[in-house]
Amino acid sequence: MHAIISDVHANLEALETVLSDIRRRHIEDIIFLGDAIGYGPDPIDSLRLLRDNSSLMIRGNHDQAILTPGLLDSFNEYARMALEWTAYNLDEGCIEIIKGMPLKAERNIYGMDIFFVHGSPKEPEKWHYILTLSDVDMNLHYFDGNICFVGHSHQPFIVEKKKTGEIIVHTKGEMVIDLQSRYIINAGSVGQPRDMDPRACYVILDNERISFVRLSYDIKKTQKKMKEAGLPAYLIDRLERGA
Ligand code: ZN
């Protein structure tokens, strides 16, 4: 079994909750889709824990902003404030971890070619969001193989394109992969969900079965640390709204 996790955003309580669920299920492999940091109060511990537990760490736009400060202008003011705080509080070891994170990767798992990227397979370095069915349809041209996993929007989804051209949006948290179809799957966010469900989100890939897992964690504890760190109130509040 493989776990695909994304957008931790320095939320250690959410990450620890997800990792212990993964251990409890005896899942042997973790793939991380980027944005280890930004927004949350525990960038160092989150980055180290991800490094120690994942077999692959893809780079997200918040991670990239630590290496490329010019990118800060592309963020909204809350994200930018949190990233400035993060940059100030990271250590050299963390910078090295981020430098080692690729923008994209491909792996063969259970005989399927699977592509991993934070934003979009089309131009990983431009941090596009995949938000609409036409975004999905267009991005299907930019990877080979059966499945592309993304993160970035913090909104979990499974979209399937059948061999016939038909497009299906899977709304249940579970699905069996049709090897004749192609998919883009958003793994949601561990540390800052935005689909009106504040629980941490991740995906399990077990042979041809995909399932989303949602887990409650100690949001109050994360919020308290954010407050103590002086992070923006807007970011503190949105955790419990899941928005
Ligand atoms: Zn993110």
Side-chain angles (χ1 to χ4, degrees):
M1 283 195 281
H2 302 262
I4 296 103
I5 71 175
S6 192
D7 292 273
V8 168
H9 286 294
N11 185 335
L12 189 62
E13 286 69 36
L15 178 58
E16 283 175 335
T17 300
V18 163
L19 291 178
S20 71
D21 190 69
I22 287 170
R23 270 193 297 275
R24 187 179 63 77
R25 294 172 191 264
H26 306 290
I27 294 171
E28 62 272 17
D29 180 50
I30 299 175
I31 291 168
F32 172 61
L33 296 179
D35 279 1
I37 55 157
Y39 299 132
D42 287 302
I44 295 179
D45 288 344
S46 299
L47 262 169
R48 287 182 184 160
L49 204 52
L50 284 164
R51 176 202 55 198
D52 294 345
N53 285 279
S54 26
S55 66
L56 172 64
M57 287 173 80
I58 300 291
R59 193 185 296 176
N61 53 321
H62 289 246
D63 311 316
Q64 183 69 54
I66 297 300
L67 306 180
T68 318
L71 201 61
L72 282 175
D73 294 335
S74 68
F75 290 86
N76 69 48
E77 61 172 310
Y78 305 110
R80 194 165 57 241
M81 282 165 74
L83 274 168
E84 281 164 354
W85 178 89
T86 303
Y88 184 76
N89 284 283
L90 282 183
D91 61 19
E92 204 43 53
C94 290
I95 311 282
E96 288 309 309
I97 297 173
I98 295 171
K99 283 184 182 164
M101 294 161 72
L103 286 174
K104 59 183 180 177
E106 201 175 358
R107 278 203 183 165
N108 191 281
I109 299 175
Y110 302 128
M112 299 178 281
D113 286 322
I114 304 184
F115 193 86
F116 300 96
V117 67
H118 183 67
S120 75
K122 182 173 181 245
E123 290 166 316
E125 71 288 356
K126 294 204 172 151
W127 316 109
H128 303 298
Y129 289 91
I130 298 179
L131 298 172
T132 65
L133 291 181
S134 68
D135 295 340
V136 170
D137 209 19
M138 188 256 290
N139 273 282
L140 285 168
H141 297 286
Y142 293 88
F143 67 97
D144 301 318
N146 307 83
I147 305 174
C148 172
F149 279 101
V150 299
H152 198 30
S153 70
H154 301 203
Q155 298 191 347
F157 65 72
I158 302 173
V159 181
E160 171 179 7
K161 186 163 189 181
K162 289 270 181 205
K163 218 179 160 192
T164 57
E166 186 192 356
I167 288 188
I168 298 169
V169 181
H170 293 265
T171 50
K172 287 194 196 128
E174 246 186 47
M175 182 205 63
V176 176
I177 296 163
D178 175 352
L179 293 174
Q180 303 288 310
S181 295
R182 299 181 71 232
Y183 297 85
I184 295 185
I185 300 173
N186 190 310
S189 169
V190 170
Q192 195 205 70
R194 295 179 191 159
D195 60 337
M196 304 310 288
D197 181 346
R199 293 174 300 166
C201 180
Y202 79 97
V203 170
I204 296 173
L205 174 65
D206 181 6
N207 290 286
E208 272 107 65
R209 183 168 291 277
I210 299 274
S211 37
F212 282 88
V213 179
R214 300 304 291 248
L215 299 165
S216 300
Y217 68 95
D218 192 348
I219 290 182
K220 290 266 174 287
K221 188 172 172 189
T222 309
Q223 289 177 314
K224 185 164 178 278
K225 288 192 209 171
M226 289 172 80
K227 204 168 178 189
E228 283 162 6
L231 288 160
Y234 171 77
L235 297 177
I236 298 172
D237 293 341
R238 75 186 300 183
L239 282 187
E240 68 193 51
R241 290 187 285 118

